[in-house]
Amino acid sequence: MNALYNIAVRLYDLGIRAAAARNAKAALLRDGRRLTFPTLASALEPGRRYVWIHAASLGEFEQGRPLIERIRRESPRTGIVLTFFSPSGYEVRKNYRGADIVCYLPADTPRQARRFVETVRPMAAIFVKYEFWGNLLDELQRHDTPVYLISAIFRPRQIFFRPWGGTFRRMLRCFTHIFVQDEASRRLLSGIGCRDVTVAGDTRFDRVTDILNTTVEMPEVERFVAPSAFTLIAGSSWPADEEHYIGWFNSAPASTRLIIAPHEFNAARISALRRMPEGGAITLSELEAGQTPGEARCLIIDCFGKLASLYRYADTALIGGGFGAGIHNINEAAVYGLPVVFGPRHEKFKEATDLIQCGGGFCYTDRTTLDSILDRLSTDTDCRAKAGQAAGDYVRSQLGATDRIWNATIAPLLSSDTDSDPKKRHSWLKNR
């Protein structure tokens, strides 16, 4: 990588270290990176072949998870090294049993990149959706390691397509093959000379279908929503979302139920949420401990890992994040055949636009538009059923990305007759 890039990486790393004194996430990242190489040294098995999969955070992990579990199922002896950039991904999935080693990605300096690649020596590297680290990509290319980008999506305003984006365009050319979600992304890449691109779809659809098939029953939640004529679930909720939907809920009929699953929480956040709904609130842990809801109309989820199974108990889902960095996973709700409602910052998510177009998704920009949407979905059962059907049908129409990527990447690597020749492993992709 060029000198400016390397300076920027080092400055960013110094910034993390400086921020760690006052920022908990920065401290987790700093301390976690210090453990990366000791973790690898103690856990890597000599002579075992590894696939390295990198996910920036939790959302990207969920996209990569179907492929990880396919590797584990089809080739149990193949090792899997899973890295995260963000503490919000690593801290939740550091004990994930689908991977042999879970650790933080080291800083992308030339020295750290060389050390990481030469330590792991992956038979293949897979980056999920985003994350472009130039020194790591250069090092993988130097070792003739097949490297893939999966479930990627590109937009015209990204730096790759700007006159000054030459360094990042060079990173794209380090990938053996790029698997994108849509044809628009393929055309954008073609316009800057990237030809090794396949429209494979989004692996998140395969993941949420897996979740649907293994959903966990929650009898306490079922009893809580039983008297309800309409149940709204707010998944991955942020305070900015609550400013809109809590007002609607407080004016809704008494039979309405609300389930809030905050994206992040601590004792203070849960305490604040309890005071918002009229009629009282109860937490899931209290419900599971045998406490009766009493007059409470709102259930607050005070633990992680339950949201995907909770959607089955709702009639409509409101997905948070649309007034912040971007909406969270709407597919987890849509797969249950629920109408999905979300805020305006969804332009980075193809599925949001698609769901709006097919009638399964609804975007709101303020309290007035949200009230109108929820009033209709809560009272017009035919409208709600039609929207839910559209959402479920859309998810089912998008399945299969994992199979397409598996057959083009990992399956050839595991084939005994091509395993020794890195160029032959992916030659069919180059000739498409």
Side-chain angles (χ1 to χ4, degrees):
M1 278 292 101
N2 63 40
L4 286 176
Y5 176 85
N6 288 330
I7 290 170
V9 167
R10 287 189 172 93
L11 288 174
Y12 186 72
D13 190 45
L14 288 172
I16 291 170
R17 297 182 191 186
R22 61 185 183 278
N23 182 283
K25 280 191 173 181
L28 285 170
L29 179 55
R30 178 202 61 192
D31 295 344
R33 280 180 167 180
R34 289 174 178 170
L35 295 174
T36 293
F37 289 107
T39 297
L40 291 171
S42 64
L44 287 169
E45 299 178 24
R48 191 177 187 188
R49 298 187 305 166
Y50 288 89
V51 172
W52 168 34
I53 297 178
H54 176 67
S57 191
L58 193 58
E60 290 77 20
F61 163 76
E62 290 297 329
Q63 284 183 294
R65 187 169 178 171
L67 188 60
I68 294 172
E69 295 182 352
R70 182 73 177 267
I71 296 169
R72 178 62 78 229
R73 186 170 64 249
E74 300 280 350
S75 182
R77 275 296 304 159
T78 299
I80 298 171
V81 175
L82 172 64
T83 58
F84 287 97
F85 173 78
S86 169
S88 61
Y90 175 81
E91 294 301 324
V92 176
R93 293 301 179 191
K94 59 187 175 183
N95 297 317
Y96 172 58
R97 294 184 178 181
D100 298 281
I101 302 168
V102 183
C103 59
Y104 278 97
L105 188 75
D108 189 36
T109 63
R111 178 177 172 273
Q112 295 278 72
R114 186 179 310 112
R115 184 182 178 190
F116 182 85
V117 173
E118 291 182 352
T119 298
V120 178
R121 293 195 173 274
M123 59 191 287
I126 296 170
F127 289 69
V128 184
K129 192 175 183 179
Y130 298 128
E131 295 282 273
F132 304 92
W133 298 108
N135 287 310
L136 281 160
L137 289 169
D138 277 351
E139 200 63 30
L140 289 164
Q141 192 172 55
R142 189 172 74 84
H143 282 76
D144 200 22
T145 304
V147 54
Y148 304 101
L149 179 65
I150 68 169
S151 291
I153 190 162
F154 292 90
R155 298 175 303 282
R157 293 184 180 181
Q158 288 174 304
I159 192 170
F160 311 105
F161 312 107
R162 302 286 183 144
W164 55 86
T167 296
F168 289 87
R169 286 192 288 275
R170 180 171 172 268
M171 291 184 199
L172 290 179
R173 296 185 184 104
C174 289
F175 288 98
T176 305
H177 206 83
I178 298 174
F179 297 88
V180 295
Q181 295 184 27
D182 59 10
E183 178 62 24
S185 294
R186 190 199 65 77
R187 287 197 299 268
L188 280 170
L189 292 174
S190 178
I192 58 171
C194 292
R195 302 284 191 265
D196 297 320
V197 181
T198 297
V199 179
D202 188 348
T203 51
R204 279 183 300 176
F205 293 101
D206 301 320
R207 173 61 188 151
V208 296
T209 303
D210 290 342
I211 292 171
L212 176 65
N213 294 332
T214 58
T215 187
V216 177
E217 294 187 3
M218 301 182 188
E220 298 88 357
V221 177
E222 187 170 5
R223 287 192 292 271
F224 175 80
V225 303
S228 173
F230 177 79
T231 297
L232 174 68
I233 183 168
S236 298
S237 179
W238 289 85
D241 306 305
E242 291 138 24
E243 291 177 8
H244 295 88
Y245 71 77
I246 290 290
W248 175 85
F249 175 71
N250 286 339
S251 63
S255 62
T256 304
R257 295 290 182 269
L258 172 64
I259 301 173
I260 303 176
H263 182 67
E264 295 179 344
F265 62 85
N266 52 28
R269 174 100 164 95
I270 296 298
S271 178
L273 281 172
R274 280 181 178 275
R275 296 191 294 270
M276 291 182 181
E278 294 180 3
I282 188 171
T283 65
L284 179 60
S285 59
E286 290 170 340
L287 210 59
E288 291 177 336
Q291 185 172 326
T292 58
E295 298 299 317
R297 301 168 52 222
C298 175
L299 174 62
I300 299 170
I301 310 305
D302 56 348
C303 56
F304 290 112
K306 301 290 182 73
L307 179 57
S309 293
L310 283 163
Y311 284 120
R312 66 181 296 185
Y313 298 107
D315 298 299
T316 293
L318 186 148
I319 309 301
F323 291 88
I327 59 172
H328 295 288
N329 194 338
I330 60 177
N331 296 333
E332 281 187 344
V335 73
Y336 286 95
L338 295 185
V340 288
V341 183
F342 41 84
R345 292 187 181 173
H346 63 266
E347 67 280 357
K348 296 180 181 180
F349 303 89
K350 176 180 180 292
E351 65 273 18
T353 302
D354 289 349
L355 280 166
I356 291 171
Q357 291 177 347
C358 75
F362 303 84
C363 175
Y364 73 97
T365 55
D366 53 32
R367 170 71 190 279
T368 301
T369 54
L370 179 62
D371 283 0
S372 176
I373 292 167
L374 292 181
D375 283 345
R376 186 178 181 192
L377 290 173
S378 63
T379 58
D380 188 336
T381 55
D382 288 341
C383 169
R384 188 168 73 235
K386 184 177 179 180
Q389 182 71 44
D393 288 347
Y394 170 73
V395 172
R396 286 185 286 274
S397 74
Q398 300 297 308
L399 300 179
T402 303
D403 285 343
R404 287 186 281 273
I405 294 167
W406 165 265
N407 290 331
T409 59
I410 306 302
L413 285 171
L414 300 177
S415 174
S416 59
D417 62 337
T418 62
D419 195 38
S420 61
D421 186 346
K423 294 180 180 178
K424 189 177 179 184
R425 291 171 190 164
H426 50 265
S427 61
W428 76 272
L429 283 169
K430 297 283 186 181
N431 295 329
R432 289 192 67 181

